[in-house]
């Protein structure tokens, strides 16, 4: 059985110093708690509402920062991919690829991700049932790549709210692949009239503890030393100094339930 793992980092790679500040602190916490750490940072954000929204720094610079963090800290890393040409192109820089929720049915993208040889973390579409994720898993596995995970990130309810189904992790675990709980995107309030996604980070802890209690294999959290200054998703990221006590509670729950 693999160790409990944490995918964490900034929403998007902003610059080198912030990436290393986050990665060093999260690695310290994970090492102390016996958690496997995977550094997360999007090298490009393709799914923004507004035309002038921040989508990332220069592509090659962002990829090199991702790889440098991974190499210097001796940890795995992960980034989002949006189009089918990307997995092959960036697999030299990352160990894991992430499929955004809106794209979890994109066959060519899933096949290309599988063919890259990287571990593929597929976020469940806000419009799908947990059981429907089996088809996304099958697409990746059809390439001969069995390193596939599924990730819960909330379900659309109305236009500006997401609901997190407490049974989703339990149901997705029946697919026979590791399950992940995205604790930060699940607190989003999308489709705001401002064109910038809102959110309620005070709910992150409740979602993380609930997922730990239902046997999730890993957590996904976007973290930042100063979320209000972040260039992407400032309203949903967890402030970095709040991470450790949440993870401590999660590990106590896992120990009490013998996970």
């Amino acid at each position: 059985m693999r160790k409990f793992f944490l995918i964490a980092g900034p929403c998007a790679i902003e610059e080198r110093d912030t990436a290393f500040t986050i990665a060093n602190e999260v690695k310290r916490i994970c090492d102390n708690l016996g958690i496997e750490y995977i550094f997360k940072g999007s090298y490009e954000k393709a799914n923004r509402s507004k035309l002038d929204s921040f989508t990332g720094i220069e592509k090659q610079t962002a990829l090199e920062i991702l790889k440098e963090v991974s190499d210097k800290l001796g940890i795995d890393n992960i980034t989002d991919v949006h189009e089918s040409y990307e997995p092959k192109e960036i697999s030299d820089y990352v160990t894991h690829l992430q499929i955004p929720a809106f794209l979890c049915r994109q066959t060519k993208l899933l096949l290309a991700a599988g063919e890259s040889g990287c571990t593929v973390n597929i976020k469940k579409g806000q419009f799908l049932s947990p059981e429907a994720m089996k088809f996304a898993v099958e697409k990746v596995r059809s390439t001969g790549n069995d390193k596939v995970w599924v990730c819960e990130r909330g379900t659309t309810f109305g236009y500006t709210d997401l609901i997190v189904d407490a049974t989703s992790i339990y149901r997705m675990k029946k697919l026979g692949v590791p399950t992940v709980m995205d604790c930060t995107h699940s607190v989003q309030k999308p489709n705001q009239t401002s064109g910038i996604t809102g959110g309620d980070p005070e709910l992150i802890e409740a979602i993380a503890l609930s997922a730990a209690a239902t046997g999730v294999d890993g957590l996904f959290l976007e973290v930042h030393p100063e979320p209000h200054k972040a260039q992407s998703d400032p309203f949903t990221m967890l402030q970095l100094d709040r991470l450790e006590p949440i993870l401590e509670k999660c590990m106590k729950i896992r120990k009490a339930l013998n996970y």
Side-chain angles (χ1 to χ4, degrees), residues 202-216:
E202 290 301 315
L203 300 176
I204 291 171
E205 180 173 345
I207 290 173
L209 299 184
S210 175
T214 50
V216 77

Side-chain angles (χ1 to χ4, degrees), residues 143-197:
T143 67
N145 185 348
D146 286 327
K147 297 181 294 183
V148 55
W149 304 345
V150 289
C151 180
E152 172 61 71
R153 54 94 71 232
T155 301
T156 299
F157 183 78
Y159 292 105
T160 59
D161 292 290
L162 296 174
I163 296 296
V164 178
D165 182 352
T167 71
S168 183
I169 296 299
Y170 175 82
R171 292 157 65 186
M172 286 202 298
K173 282 177 73 70
K174 292 185 177 182
L175 300 179
V177 297
T179 59
V180 184
M181 183 70 231
D182 181 342
C183 304
T184 42
H185 288 92
S186 291
V187 303
Q188 283 185 338
K189 293 183 176 295
N191 302 316
Q192 300 295 304
T193 55
S194 64
I196 300 173
T197 297

Side-chain angles (χ1 to χ4, degrees), residues 7-24 26 37-45 48 54 57 62 65-66 69 77-80 98 123 184-185 220-227 229-234 236-238 240 243:
I7 301 169
C11 177
I13 297 295
E14 300 171 347
E15 39 81 26
R16 183 181 181 278
D17 288 347
T18 300
F20 270 94
T21 294
I22 294 170
N24 278 305
V26 178
Y37 176 38
I38 301 164
F39 175 72
K40 182 269 172 183
S42 295
Y43 79 94
E44 183 177 52
K45 303 299 293 186
R48 304 290 88 178
F54 175 78
I57 60 175
I65 290 171
L66 274 164
V69 169
N77 59 4
I78 188 169
T79 196
D80 298 291
Q98 184 161 270
K123 290 195 175 183
T184 42
H185 288 92
F220 174 107
L221 291 109
E222 289 183 341
V223 295
H224 197 283
E226 298 178 284
K229 293 183 179 180
Q231 293 179 278
S232 183
D233 281 1
T236 56
M237 280 197 283
L238 181 72
L240 185 57
L243 177 63

